[in-house]
Amino acid sequence: MAEAEEDFSALPLTDRFVHKGWKVRKQAYEEAAGLFEKSPDEYDPVFRPFVQDSSLWKGAAADSNVAAQQEGLNALCAFLKFGGREGAVRARPHAITPIVEKGLSSTRAATKASALEALLLFIELDVAAPVIEEILPALSNKQPKVVAASLAALTQIYHSYGCKTADPKPVLKVLPKAFGHADKNVRAEATNLAVEFYRWLREAMKPMFWNDLKPSQQTDLEAQFEKVKAEGPAKQERLLRSQQAAKERAPVAGTEYADEAGEDEEEAVEVDVFDLAEPQDVISKVPANFFDNLASSKWKERKEALEALYAIVNVPRIKDADFGQVNHSLAKCMKDANIAVVTQAAQCIELLAKGLRKGYARYRSIVMQPIMERMKEKKQTVADALAAALDAVFQTTNLTDCLEDITAFLIHKNPQIKEGTMRFLVRCLRTTRDVPSKQEIATIVESAKKLLSEGSEALRSGGAEILGTVMKIIGERAMNPHLEGLDDIRKAKIKEFWEVAEVKAKEKPKPPPAPVARAPPPGQKKVVRKVPAGTKKPAPVAPPPSQYAQQPPAPQAAAPSRMGMPKPGGLGGLKPPQKRTLPGLGTASPRRAAAPSPPLDEDPPESPPSTPKPAPRLGLGRGGLATRSLAKPAAFSQPPPPASPPPVSGFSHVERAELEELRDVNDRLLKQIEDARHDRSKLMSEIQELKNQNAGLIEDHTRDVLSIKAKETQLVRARSDAEAFEQTNERLRRELDRLKRALSKAEAAGPGSPSSPNPHHGMMSPTHDDAGIYRDGGYPSGATRNRMSFTSTMSEEKENGMGNLEAPFNPRNKLSPDLRYAGSTASSGRGSPARGYRREASADDRETREASNGNLGYTNNHPDRTGSGPGSRAGSRLGDAPAPSAGGSGGSGMESWKRAAEVTSQLKARIEQMKAKQGIPRQ
């Protein structure tokens, strides 16, 4: 055993980590943990083998022996705690999965605690996302204890680091699956994790998974949430290494900067649904007929189109796309006569603004003015929808962009619009996080002062509320100049609103940044501060007055140096050494402090500045020697005081010149900055003007497009009407021509003069005309029309399906013009001298027309209308004297019968041929 132990101890530490004996491994884990704790820093050589071969920690975390596993996890925790970030990043992919599967579900409490501590250390050294990503696959493990332990570890991670450091979205997506697990312990841990999420996210977490839970689970969670609401906001208990370093660099606690940083951190903890949700593509889901339905003349169709759009955009987060046409259509809906359409459009705008956030800012100019124009509605539901839409649009932009439109509508002639705009401005001032500039403050104050003199109490109170909110933002002292000229009653009203106003943007105090600006020059901090303090700010520092009293002689000392002896000793001795030392300011001041000889050389020109002027003048006269000897004691009494200001005289000339140059440079820079600001404001105004022009052009373009579409619609309708009229006109023209031909044929087929010797003219034999109508001319009566009956020709065609065929077999066209158009007026030309001639011409040409009818069948979609001359109405009137036709005989009745039979047989044959061609079976 002793030899075996010696062999084990002689092995390298990394070899003992993978030894098959658990005691050897356990001893190696303990030894490694001790070495890690005793290491001076993370760069110690003891860490190098484990950084290079990070797979060693996989076996240590999942050791088959529970005792060795516990020591292996302890060694891993020591390695992470003292080894630094590089070792943790390399060991993370090898160690986390064994820790989750075998460490967290261990039966030993110490092993569980070490496994959880290792996970927290992995997060502390780097970030939380990779660790959570490695834990999530364990939620699908077959063993319920592994799933429950993983959920408990996630709960502890979010409890320690919070949802700001650890992203909750990946876990929220799989949380419903844990609630549906068969094991009750898994469901209990899922409930604990959901409660922990509620501590950080509140209601923002519900849209992610709430609808996937059962009603009973929702009820239980609501009961747990009520307990959490009383605890207050959650705070991060454990910091990352990066956060710890940032905290060390942060200002000292209790200072104003530390308080502001703490406020920012508290505000940043709030998590919104927008941050948790995934962007959804909604532009592709907009129906193709959306814009057509929105332009419909029926308000129900417009409302249904907007309701469909509302259902599509009602998502927590919308993927950015081109919504320009949609917003133009919604802006146009603000002018709709139906308030239901206006309300629905405003709700769609609100959802689009909330879903796009900053991406919706480019559509602000399209929708804001139409919404504010519609605020004239007095119905509360419409006003609330419009106000919500305006607030949502404002959250996507800032007060600077909206201020121009707001001030324009604050002077609107409609009081309702003016009041709605005033309320909107108050809400903007309360919710904005950026302090308005001085120019914007002046614009807002001027507009609010005008409201104070309005006749409506609501507008006057609104103006006071605006001023009180502005005072809350910039402070009471900065607001006092703007309140000059107002009476005490109005000031009291403004202060009432100032006391109760709640704003998110506050003017930060300006004095603290001053020390930060003075701090940068470390080398000559004292020297540079004294000179400007004497010239610009004498009040704050006590010594400068005495130094300032001794600085004026400096220019006087330069005068005698130019005139006489002091020149080589004073200026000539000062300039060369100071020029050499100026490039290194850090070495110039120590040289003066170490070698006081240059100041001693400078003492003579600095000490007698008051006496040298009279001295040369007195020395020019002879009597001046006595006076000079008497004045020497006074001259000797003055040198001791200048012994104290040599440091001042040491930099009074050269450094003063350098200081003046720096001041000139500073003035030039300030002037350049001012010019740049002026140019920027001018460019911003030009940009805003161009934006307004662009919006106007877009509106004009939209109006022109709509008018063009309307004109095109009218043109299409006019064309269709013109075509219909042309068809009608053509049909009437053909009808007129046909009537004219029928009339001429009727006149040509009429009887002769009344003195005709044929007594049987009015009693013709019954015949079948070309249309299959039975005409009986053998009953002369007072009626002007012959009796007629349809023969079997019409019925046969109807039975054989020929009734629906078009011309030339339309039965309507088979009726002769004599029958369709000849009436009582057919014999109106009875006394005409040309009647006999027409009758003779018709008799002469009858044979020719019958022959042509027999060969051609139909002409112009109807049979020959002169084939039944003897049986026509024109020839069957009472009182008409039968006139013999030219070349005819009195027994023409039999011939008419024969001709009629021939024509009928020809027509039937033609019909049979047509049926055979069209495939109609014979009956």
Side-chain angles (χ1 to χ4, degrees):
M1 290 294 294
E3 293 178 359
E5 290 177 359
E6 290 176 1
D7 293 338
F8 294 152
S9 60
L11 290 175
L13 193 59
T14 55
D15 293 343
R16 283 184 282 165
F17 258 65
V18 294
H19 198 275
K20 59 183 178 180
W22 68 269
K23 290 185 178 179
V24 179
R25 296 195 303 270
K26 181 174 179 295
Q27 184 181 4
Y29 299 152
E30 292 175 352
E31 183 179 349
L35 292 175
F36 295 152
E37 291 177 0
K38 295 177 182 179
S39 61
D41 52 30
E42 63 184 51
Y43 305 105
D44 193 89
V46 71
F47 296 104
R48 190 174 304 160
F50 299 95
V51 174
Q52 293 176 351
D53 188 7
S54 302
S55 61
L56 295 171
W57 297 114
K58 181 178 181 180
D63 201 296
S64 57
N65 186 274
V66 291
Q69 182 188 15
Q70 180 178 344
E71 296 300 331
L73 290 173
N74 291 337
L76 177 60
C77 291
F79 173 77
L80 295 174
K81 186 175 181 180
F82 300 103
R85 180 178 177 276
E86 183 182 0
V89 172
R90 287 176 176 266
R92 183 172 59 202
H94 301 284
I96 291 180
T97 301
I99 290 173
V100 174
E101 293 180 352
K102 297 195 66 176
L104 294 176
S105 58
S106 176
T107 56
R108 292 194 171 194
T111 304
K112 284 184 178 181
S114 298
L116 183 59
E117 179 65 20
L119 293 177
L120 296 177
L121 285 172
F122 273 119
I123 296 175
E124 179 181 335
L125 288 168
D126 190 23
V127 290
V131 178
I132 295 174
E133 186 178 353
E134 294 284 343
I135 297 174
L136 288 180
L139 299 180
S140 302
N141 198 290
K142 295 180 180 180
Q143 298 181 4
K145 65 176 184 178
V146 176
V147 180
S150 302
L151 290 172
L154 289 172
T155 303
Q156 187 61 36
I157 288 172
Y158 285 105
H159 182 80
S160 300
Y161 293 103
C163 289
K164 180 185 176 183
T165 304
D167 187 11
K169 286 190 290 184
V171 182
L172 284 172
K173 292 179 181 179
V174 299
L175 193 58
K177 183 179 178 181
F179 274 100
H181 202 278
D183 189 76
K184 63 178 182 179
N185 295 327
V186 175
R187 296 196 300 271
E189 293 296 339
T191 302
N192 295 336
L193 182 56
V195 172
E196 183 62 35
F197 279 139
Y198 191 81
R199 290 181 64 243
W200 295 93
L201 307 178
R202 300 298 179 182
E203 298 297 327
M205 60 174 279
K206 289 187 176 181
M208 297 292 292
F209 73 100
W210 192 255
N211 294 331
D212 298 331
L213 303 181
K214 298 178 181 179
S216 59
Q217 293 174 339
Q218 293 179 357
T219 305
D220 296 341
L221 285 176
E222 287 291 353
Q224 297 291 332
F225 293 163
E226 291 297 329
K227 299 177 183 178
V228 175
K229 290 179 181 178
E231 296 179 1
K235 293 183 179 180
Q236 185 174 348
E237 297 181 357
R238 191 162 179 166
L239 300 177
L240 303 178
R241 292 286 175 88
S242 58
Q243 293 175 343
Q244 294 174 11
K247 188 177 181 180
E248 292 176 358
R249 296 191 299 267
V252 182
T255 61
E256 189 171 359
Y257 292 107
D259 297 339
E260 293 175 1
E263 292 177 1
D264 296 340
E265 290 179 0
E266 291 179 0
E267 292 178 358
V269 169
E270 299 178 1
V271 181
D272 195 3
V273 184
F274 184 83
D275 300 327
L276 299 176
E278 293 292 334
Q280 299 185 22
D281 185 13
V282 301
I283 192 66
S284 60
K285 300 178 183 178
V286 177
N289 59 347
F290 169 73
F291 299 103
D292 295 336
N293 293 337
L294 205 60
S296 175
S297 59
K298 298 179 180 179
W299 70 270
K300 286 187 177 180
E301 293 183 359
R302 299 196 300 271
K303 186 173 182 294
E304 289 173 357
L306 292 172
E307 288 175 350
L309 179 65
Y310 181 88
I312 293 172
V313 300
N314 190 13
V315 293
R317 190 170 184 176
I318 299 174
K319 186 177 180 181
D320 196 3
D322 186 10
F323 290 90
Q325 190 175 2
V326 175
N327 283 282
H328 278 294
S329 301
L330 294 175
K332 185 179 178 182
C333 289
M334 291 295 108
K335 301 178 182 179
D336 202 289
N338 190 279
I339 59 174
V341 176
V342 176
T343 304
Q344 195 66 42
Q347 293 173 356
C348 292
I349 292 174
E350 179 185 0
L351 290 180
L352 282 172
K354 289 182 177 179
L356 290 171
R357 292 287 175 93
K358 298 299 181 182
Y360 193 81
R362 60 179 180 269
Y363 307 118
R364 180 202 61 81
S365 59
I366 299 175
V367 299
M368 179 168 283
Q369 291 185 0
I371 294 175
M372 298 174 77
E373 283 282 359
R374 192 65 187 196
M375 285 193 297
K376 60 187 177 182
E377 291 291 339
K378 296 182 179 180
K379 194 170 183 179
Q380 191 62 32
T381 55
V382 183
D384 293 343
L386 296 173
L390 283 176
D391 293 343
V393 172
F394 176 74
Q395 293 300 325
T396 65
T397 179
N398 51 41
L399 183 61
T400 303
D401 295 338
C402 302
L403 188 58
E404 184 176 355
D405 293 336
I406 292 174
T407 52
F409 280 89
L410 278 177
I411 56 175
H412 200 276
K413 59 183 179 181
N414 191 317
Q416 199 75 16
I417 295 178
K418 192 183 297 185
E419 183 177 352
T421 307
M422 173 265 299
R423 297 183 187 280
F424 174 54
L425 177 57
V426 172
R427 295 194 300 271
C428 292
L429 292 173
R430 289 178 178 176
T431 57
T432 183
R433 295 183 179 274
D434 301 326
V435 178
S437 63
K438 292 183 178 180
Q439 185 177 0
E440 293 170 353
I441 290 292
T443 303
I444 295 171
V445 169
E446 289 299 324
S447 301
K449 284 183 178 179
K450 294 179 181 178
L451 294 177
L452 293 176
S453 58
E454 290 286 341
S456 173
E457 173 61 26
L459 292 176
R460 293 197 299 272
S461 299
E465 187 173 3
I466 292 173
L467 293 174
T469 309
V470 172
M471 182 186 293
K472 193 75 172 183
I473 294 175
I474 65 175
E476 186 177 4
R477 181 178 179 183
M479 191 65 184
N480 286 332
H482 298 290
L483 300 182
E484 293 180 357
L486 298 179
D487 53 19
D488 296 337
I489 298 176
R490 291 176 176 172
K491 288 183 179 179
K493 190 73 172 177
I494 293 170
K495 288 189 177 181
E496 288 179 6
F497 285 108
W498 167 65
E499 293 174 356
V500 299
E502 296 181 0
V503 297
K504 295 183 179 180
K506 290 185 179 180
E507 187 74 33
K508 295 180 181 179
K510 294 182 179 179
V516 179
R518 296 173 188 167
Q524 293 185 347
K525 182 177 179 182
K526 295 180 181 179
V527 177
V528 175
R529 186 185 296 175
K530 286 181 180 179
V531 177
T535 55
K536 290 185 178 180
K537 295 180 181 179
V541 186
S546 61
Q547 298 172 2
Y548 180 80
Q550 294 179 2
Q551 284 178 1
Q556 294 178 1
S561 65
R562 296 188 187 110
M563 289 190 297
M565 296 296 295
K567 183 175 181 180
L571 294 175
L574 272 175
K575 281 186 178 180
Q578 299 232 349
K579 281 183 180 179
R580 295 190 193 100
T581 57
L582 272 177
L585 292 177
T587 58
S589 56
R591 186 176 296 176
R592 286 196 301 271
S597 58
L600 291 176
D601 296 338
E602 295 170 2
D603 285 342
E606 292 291 338
S607 57
S610 56
T611 55
K613 287 185 178 180
R617 293 174 185 174
L618 292 174
L620 294 176
R622 294 180 180 179
L625 295 175
T627 57
R628 285 180 65 184
S629 61
L630 293 174
K632 277 183 182 179
F636 288 122
S637 63
Q638 289 179 353
S644 59
V648 178
S649 61
F651 60 87
S652 60
H653 296 287
V654 179
E655 293 192 355
R656 186 179 302 155
E658 183 182 0
L659 181 62
E660 291 298 330
E661 292 179 1
L662 293 175
R663 285 178 181 171
D664 295 339
V665 172
N666 188 25
D667 293 340
R668 285 197 300 272
L669 290 177
L670 291 176
K671 187 176 181 181
Q672 292 177 2
I673 292 172
E674 190 66 25
D675 294 341
R677 288 178 180 174
H678 179 69
D679 296 340
R680 182 178 179 276
S681 61
K682 185 199 276 187
L683 291 175
M684 290 298 294
S685 62
E686 292 178 359
I687 291 171
Q688 189 63 31
E689 187 175 349
L690 291 175
K691 285 182 179 178
N692 296 336
Q693 294 178 2
N694 187 24
L697 292 175
I698 291 173
E699 190 70 22
D700 296 340
H701 175 67
T702 305
R703 197 181 305 113
D704 294 340
V705 169
L706 293 176
S707 62
I708 289 171
K709 288 184 178 179
K711 296 295 184 184
E712 289 179 353
T713 305
Q714 295 176 2
L715 183 59
V716 170
R717 291 178 180 174
R719 286 177 179 173
S720 61
D721 293 343
E723 291 176 358
F725 289 144
E726 287 178 359
Q727 293 176 0
T728 305
N729 190 16
E730 185 66 23
R731 182 170 52 81
L732 293 176
R733 189 182 293 111
R734 290 197 301 269
E735 188 74 13
L736 181 60
D737 294 341
R738 187 167 52 79
L739 290 175
K740 288 180 178 179
R741 289 195 300 269
L743 180 59
S744 63
K745 291 178 182 180
E747 291 178 354
S753 61
S755 60
S756 176
N758 188 1
H760 301 287
H761 179 76
M763 298 182 64
M764 305 291 294
S765 300
T767 61
H768 289 278
D769 64 355
D770 297 340
I773 301 175
Y774 177 80
R775 297 174 180 244
D776 188 3
Y779 296 91
S781 62
T784 61
R785 296 184 181 179
N786 297 328
R787 291 185 301 163
M788 57 183 177
S789 63
F790 286 92
T791 62
S792 61
T793 306
M794 296 289 288
S795 61
E796 285 178 2
E797 291 177 357
K798 185 174 183 181
E799 291 175 359
N800 293 332
M802 298 299 292
N804 295 328
L805 295 176
E806 296 180 354
F809 293 97
N810 192 349
R812 179 181 176 184
N813 293 333
K814 290 181 180 181
L815 298 177
S816 66
D818 302 330
L819 176 62
R820 283 184 292 176
Y821 303 106
S824 60
T825 59
S827 61
S828 60
R830 182 167 43 183
S832 173
R835 182 178 178 88
Y837 174 77
R838 290 172 185 165
R839 186 163 54 247
E840 290 173 0
S842 63
D844 291 336
D845 298 335
R846 184 177 300 142
E847 222 169 326
T848 305
R849 285 197 300 271
E850 287 176 354
S852 63
N853 287 334
N855 295 329
L856 300 176
Y858 285 92
T859 303
N860 295 330
N861 297 334
H862 59 81
D864 187 75
R865 293 183 176 88
T866 62
S868 58
S872 63
R873 292 183 188 175
S876 61
R877 293 182 174 275
L878 291 175
D880 284 352
S885 61
S889 63
S892 61
M894 185 59 68
E895 295 176 359
S896 298
W897 276 99
K898 291 179 180 180
R899 293 192 188 98
E902 291 174 0
V903 171
T904 303
S905 63
Q906 291 175 0
L907 289 174
K908 287 183 179 180
R910 179 70 64 177
I911 291 170
E912 292 299 331
Q913 291 176 3
M914 295 299 295
K915 288 182 179 180
K917 288 181 181 180
Q918 297 183 3
I920 301 175
R922 282 190 176 183
Q923 293 183 355

